[in-house]
Amino acid sequence: MSFDISIKIAGQAGQGIQSIAEILLKVLKLNGLHVFAYQDYMSRVRGGHNFMQVRISDSPVYSIKEDCNILVALDTNSVDVHRNEVPKGGAIIYDPHSTMVDSPDNRFIPIPMNNLAKEAGSPVLSNTISAGSILALLDIDKMDAEEFIKKQFAKKGEEVIGKNLKALAKGYAYFLENFRNWKFTDIKAQKKNKTILINGSEAVGFGAIAGGCQFIAAYPMSPSTGVFTYITGKAKEFNIISEQAEDEIAAINMALGASFAGARAMTTTSGGGLSLMAEGLSLAGVMEAPVVVVNAQRPGPATGLATRTGQEDLEYVLHIGHGEFPRFIFAPGHHEEAFFTTIHAFNLSDKYQVPAFILIDQYFADTYATEKEFDLNKVKAISYQPSVVSTPYLRYKITKDGVSPRAYPMQGDFTFIADSHEHTENGHITEDGEVRNKMVEKRFRKLKGMQKEFGKPTYYGDKLVPSGSEKGKAKTVFITWGSNYGVVRETVDCLKKQKRSVAMLHFNRIYPFPRKEAVSLLKGAKEIITVENNYQGQFGNILKAETGIEADRKILKYDGRPFTVEYILKRI
Amino acid sequence: MSFDISIKIAGQAGQGIQSIAEILLKVLKLNGLHVFAYQDYMSRVRGGHNFMQVRISDSPVYSIKEDCNILVALDTNSVDVHRNEVPKGGAIIYDPHSTMVDSPDNRFIPIPMNNLAKEAGSPVLSNTISAGSILALLDIDKMDAEEFIKKQFAKKGEEVIGKNLKALAKGYAYFLENFRNWKFTDIKAQKKNKTILINGSEAVGFGAIAGGCQFIAAYPMSPSTGVFTYITGKAKEFNIISEQAEDEIAAINMALGASFAGARAMTTTSGGGLSLMAEGLSLAGVMEAPVVVVNAQRPGPATGLATRTGQEDLEYVLHIGHGEFPRFIFAPGHHEEAFFTTIHAFNLSDKYQVPAFILIDQYFADTYATEKEFDLNKVKAISYQPSVVSTPYLRYKITKDGVSPRAYPMQGDFTFIADSHEHTENGHITEDGEVRNKMVEKRFRKLKGMQKEFGKPTYYGDKLVPSGSEKGKAKTVFITWGSNYGVVRETVDCLKKQKRSVAMLHFNRIYPFPRKEAVSLLKGAKEIITVENNYQGQFGNILKAETGIEADRKILKYDGRPFTVEYILKRI
Amino acid sequence: MENTNPFHYEGELSWCPGCGDFQILKSVEKTLTSLNKKPSEVVLVSGIGQAAKLPHYIHANGFNGLHGRALPPAFGIKAFNRDLTVLVTTGDGDCYGEGGNHLIHAIRRNIDITVIVHNNQVYGLTKGQASPTSEVGMVTKTQPYGVVSLPFNPIAFAIAMDTPFVARSYSKEIDFTAELIRQGVETKGFALIDILQPCVSFNKINTYQWYSQRVYKLDNTYDPTNRVKAFEKSLEWGDKIPIGVIYRSQRQTYDETLDRLGIKPQINPAHNLIQRGSSQGVMCGVNTLPDLSKVKSLLSEF
Amino acid sequence: MENTNPFHYEGELSWCPGCGDFQILKSVEKTLTSLNKKPSEVVLVSGIGQAAKLPHYIHANGFNGLHGRALPPAFGIKAFNRDLTVLVTTGDGDCYGEGGNHLIHAIRRNIDITVIVHNNQVYGLTKGQASPTSEVGMVTKTQPYGVVSLPFNPIAFAIAMDTPFVARSYSKEIDFTAELIRQGVETKGFALIDILQPCVSFNKINTYQWYSQRVYKLDNTYDPTNRVKAFEKSLEWGDKIPIGVIYRSQRQTYDETLDRLGIKPQINPAHNLIQRGSSQGVMCGVNTLPDLSKVKSLLSEF
Ligand SMILES: Cc1ncc(C[n+]2csc(CCOP(=O)(O)OP(=O)(O)O)c2C)c(N)n1
Ligand SMILES: Cc1ncc(C[n+]2csc(CCOP(=O)(O)OP(=O)(O)O)c2C)c(N)n1
Ligand code: SF4
Ligand code: SF4
Ligand SMILES: [Mg+2]
Ligand SMILES: [Mg+2]
């Protein structure tokens, strides 16, 4: 009864892969199904070879599959590249007039999308035709798709809506008429399920807004641009100042200016841009300026693979910025966690007056998933303020917990200076060795409080039995961080079905490193395997430096593509 | 018979501390004495409080002392700040007309420097007066000083020379006439000693020239500017292109352009500038472009203590630049080592086509020391070139050792592309996962060869007895890196005199980390103490991550001032 | 005394005796006292350099950031709290060298700030290297064979960028400078004031004498609103150097755009004005959640 | 065919069909074949963007560096090997946005390179955000309420900077553009050629039609050597947009300065010309020690 179907929609940039997927995903979601979708695209605007992978199930799905049950090939190349990924009994939809297929077997389903589109009024409608046919193939009512089209094209007017509805109907009907006997699977709508369909960029952007973001300055860079544009699109509504900076140096320094003036400020970037922010991050460190920095990772070095995925900036972010200062580093594992983590990042950056990093990656940013509706009652956006300040106001007062009262200009008749030099309690330049020592120690004293805050690692799977114990069984623990949550979780599920004793330990907060939790949760593990999207096994290095625990095995991937369960299983 | 004297010359910026020290150091050196001198200065051009510490001995000296035997106070404040550092029997030279002294005791030696200077022809000569008096106090012949003055002022003409000689004589004579009975110590000239007097900046700059540097682009920043200006001053003579860039981003990218065109290229910077170079360093990583980067550390974060010392950028340099790529990191311990390390850095950066970092710091850069003459016959500046290239030329050919043939434009009729994206063997953009994997692996394969190259740690002190052994004694090993070589070495000497069993392990090369050597050299150590000029004990962290060895104790200092033997002894 | 000059700072100043920076400080102080603003309503923003130390020497709020990066935080500050008066005090290296790109784009944005450049034609704090405005031939330790790059002409540049207010002054003319700064502050939009400032320690070419012999004040026959004529005037440099307002124009400011969009000046409304007291206040949490119903409506979009 | 156009590249191009970049590529190819240079004597340098992909599409040497950072490596390359012909192909974002500061200072240095800006008034590669030259009001995903910053005027800017060669072209005018590039290459010193280039995917305002209706070629009644007049001409933008050489001047180049100092063009003399062969050569060490006696004389200075 249960089902797990993968669809690949493949073609050139500009052919409308996303439009097809959009209808599909929305309709599936409205039917209460669980979906997970990822886009693989090249660094170009037209041409090349891109594809979208959509997985559909009646229970939650957390990753993509290498193979697919249904391929929608928008050009000949797509057939060549992907036909072997479709097993017997699968379906390959293509347009027989524009796509050349050598020796089609019974998986191939020719749909004259272009012709049907022209009949419906315009060749651009061929994406809607495809969508119609896919829905028919999946045996899903097209009513929800009609609703979606009406909403989607509302601004474009009745005519556009009409044509698209016609195209949808045509695609749907064509499939039914010609492939009526083509029974694919049992997909059961589960309308009572209340989910949202959201991608990683939106989850972080939505979290920022819910977390009270008031200022964002950024410079476009894949794969971080999505977070920036999401927030910018809501700027007017939420009274947020959003500015596209001239470069990333300006972006971080603008955010620090706004932070000085009292804003909850943030910036978004990726690798090269992060590098350019390094000096500004060091400034945040010495000024004790709250700021949230989203780094959407992609493979490097330098321009690397600009539209692909990787987790190569971890140790870099841990040490970025000359000099020494504390920071938060978060790496959420799924969209709901990203939403709440972003809110926490704003709160904690504000509370401890340190920069807070959120590490995502291209895979995470561009992945759509259905999740249960976020519980907004759990949201608290908290800002920290003194009610009274001393005379004269000491912005950098030495305190026991390292946190000094932070007030803004015009909150009273006091003045203060935020300074990039080592400074006295009132913010003026100092070269005094004693004061210097006190300031360094004050800044690092915050770590104690920070350590106790949000961000314990997530343990999933079999409980560990202390290895000394009688009943001690061989246990394998996969350790991972950030976007690999889903794929490792499914790997664990899969191995458990094989009666293997396995678990996952996922780190969302990487700094301050949850040392105690890591040590106690790993006690009793017989085998530790790290799973990371980089060459050097960076998290493994940190784990060793922080706890002395060394992984027995490292499953690493650095080709710019995300992990799959299949990939991991092959390596254990 | 042996002697060890410390002199402090203190006053405001602009009062000529350096001119006095310069004469003094040169004359001491010409007398075959060993000297070590460090300058403590504020971030301002005039005023404030600066001082120069000069240590003199008949055997090699490697560090400064906290107290001094002789104080030359150029203003009242200097007397107040430093008088307690001069023990009984010491001397405090001051000008009774300009400097106020409360209750002078018999350490005080008033010399009317200003009046004598006026008599000699001009108030600006008062520095030469001081120098004369100090030489008389030290009972050192003034002939060498005369020679030095003649050479130093040769360009300024006879009149200036004459006046200075007169001032020197007056200062000398005034002391002898008035304090004839003031017998201070037995300083014996050792004219046969053939040494050079050099500071850290010069040692690195000289090494760069000897290493065949052909291009330098940099942006001024304390304490790195000295290296830049030294090389620039010799640019014409050595056919070096030297350019002051508009910012550090330009500096590193200019150097990479020159490197592409075939130059042995370098840049110099400090903290904030290093941060700005981060993206360019990542570019060097993917382009496999040789480049030497001198980072002269100062305390951060941000502007921090701009003219002071620290070792806070170690872990940062280890990970700087987004994405992953191999690099060399060197941190020479003394000037001779710095000279040869710089030559090696050029050779190895060229051989492996990776960036090579040289980490120094303000203390190192500004420290003058006598060293035995560098043996230039040990110098080899080697460049690596293919004699034949394939058709078409494959700049990024996949090879066994990871190193591809690197030729330059116009060395033949071939062409090639250096690319910031992941690329194919011929340098063109690729998004192919297989090629990507091969390129990542190729770049990291270099580590094997790099590991074997120059840069074994230096072991100094008692040999360790493997702890399992019968005769096993308690042994303390100090671990340090970079500029702390001298002070830790002297600490070891001092403890050995107290019959303690101690040694030092000094790391000049930090990456690739000499893991095997570290492990085998530390075997049998009962107690391991790291000595570092930072808060986080960064080298200790690396040691643990690389070898699992954890220091028993960390002696850390982060007030912007260098270590002294006294400081370390107090903490063990 | 304290009442008449609330902006006066009493501590030590670390500039060299005789430096033109003292004069500029006086001018800034004069302007500020004339503005009818409280120190708490003013922010001085700077990068790094001798010039950039100025915010420490005025009793007002200060943001002393990174070398070359004065303009981006100034933007962030002014955009977020448009009730603040924001002045930038920067050097020729800070603003035209390391920070050149921000100058281009800050002018394009036309945020309402006043930028005061202490143009001593040299890098003072780092001890005398050439700056972007150093004259060709000037010999320094990093240009031992003399400067070869063409000096940057900030006035011509600013006119090409259509900067709303472009002026040049000479530090010795304290009142004249103060008046120009006042006009700059009162201009809606970006104001650039380049001030010739002798560096007595490192610039042995452009001395007090050198400047004093050359500068002359523009009189009211000069019309600063004609862009092409202003450009022509901006090329005058040598035996005669004009000081005064060289160019003026008008266009929508960034602040006005925010107003138009209805993005409101925001001191977080959850924060009451903070009282001064004898004891240091402790930090406490305040809910800054944006309107929950609006956030919920976002949720329904997914 | 191969002989007549040795610069032609045969592989796939990843621009969108109809993009003006194809036209610029043709112009560059045309210019290069007219220069009497071998591909090995030419280097194309770029940053990141659609424009910046061009070095991959010409058969010559290429340095495809970082976004915004084309000019510094171009300087390093040309300064070190002055026999190379160095062209920079860059975008309006690359050159006027992220890279603005380098443009200011590369012009000041007057290194002998030719900079070709594909000015499509938009960020193409990152899918349509505003660039520094985007028109006020243009709506994009990051400027959903329309662009508010004043567009950067590269021509006025370059004239203010006294750039030796300043021209504007329109990508559709392939021969005209090629001729301008040729003149730029032949100019001693820095040449800036801003080319209006339609982006068919993202710029729906400045289309082929929009440009074609507006551009006109300057005729020979126009004198590009008059700086003030050139500045006036540079302000012309709207119904009529002049293309052609807008400004020309002359001053010492960086290359000439190096010559004057006797710093010689250097391909390391220890390296013989490398032969082509069927097998890949192995790397071997060559001594590049500078003159030992000179190094010894340095030692004696300490
Ligand atoms: C990123 C960075 N690079 C370099 C420096 C060193 N630095 C400090 S001030 C300065 C130049 C100052 O020149 P200018 O702005 O003209 O100010 P002035 O001292 O002449 O007033 C430099 C290069 C720095 N602090 N940060
Ligand atoms: C440091 C950095 N920031 C941002 C990016 C992302 N990025 C790549 S190209 C580009 C803009 C390109 O615009 P333009 O230079 O006008 O070129 P076009 O694509 O329009 O030809 C951006 C923002 C990057 N690669 N590196
Ligand atoms: S160095 Fe020059 S600019 Fe700096 S304080 Fe001294 S005189 Fe003024
Ligand atoms: S996005 Fe625009 S500039 Fe880029 S290739 Fe396509 S049409 Fe050309
Ligand atoms: Mg200056
Ligand atoms: Mg563009």
Side-chain angles (χ1 to χ4, degrees), chain A residues 43 275 282 300 302-304 308 312 315-316 319 322-324 420 422 431 436 441 535-536 538 558 561, chain B residues 43 275 282 300 302-304 308 312-313 315-316 319 322-324 420 422 431 436 441 535-536 538 558 561:
Chain A
S43 185
S275 283
S282 180
T303 312
R308 305 206 173 266
E312 303 180 1
E315 285 184 283
Y316 184 31
H319 299 291
H322 55 290
E324 303 181 290
S420 71
E422 194 54 273
E431 300 205 26
R436 159 74 180 175
E441 289 153 12
Y535 179 86
Q536 294 180 110
Q538 299 189 19
Y558 40 89
R561 277 72 174 175
Chain B
S43 184
S275 284
S282 180
T303 312
R308 305 206 173 264
E312 303 179 1
D313 296 339
E315 286 183 283
Y316 184 31
H319 299 290
H322 55 291
E324 304 180 291
S420 71
E422 193 56 271
E431 300 204 27
R436 159 74 180 176
E441 289 154 12
Y535 178 86
Q536 295 179 110
Q538 299 189 19
Y558 40 87
R561 277 71 174 175

Side-chain angles (χ1 to χ4, degrees), chain B residues 45-46, chain C residues 14-16 19-21 50 120 124-125 197-202:
Chain B
V45 171
R46 295 276 178 275
Chain C
S14 74
W15 291 316
C16 311
C19 176
D21 284 338
Q50 298 286 19
N120 55 10
L125 189 63
Q197 170 241 322
C199 164
V200 296
S201 289
F202 295 114

Side-chain angles (χ1 to χ4, degrees), chain A residues 237 239 243 381 383 389-390 411, chain C residues 109 254 266 274 280 286 288:
Chain A
E237 200 177 337
N239 211 25
E243 180 63 11
S383 188
V389 302
S390 60
Q411 284 194 303
Chain C
R109 276 180 199 104
Y254 194 91
Q266 31 182 315
I274 289 170
Q280 188 79 14
V286 198
T288 51

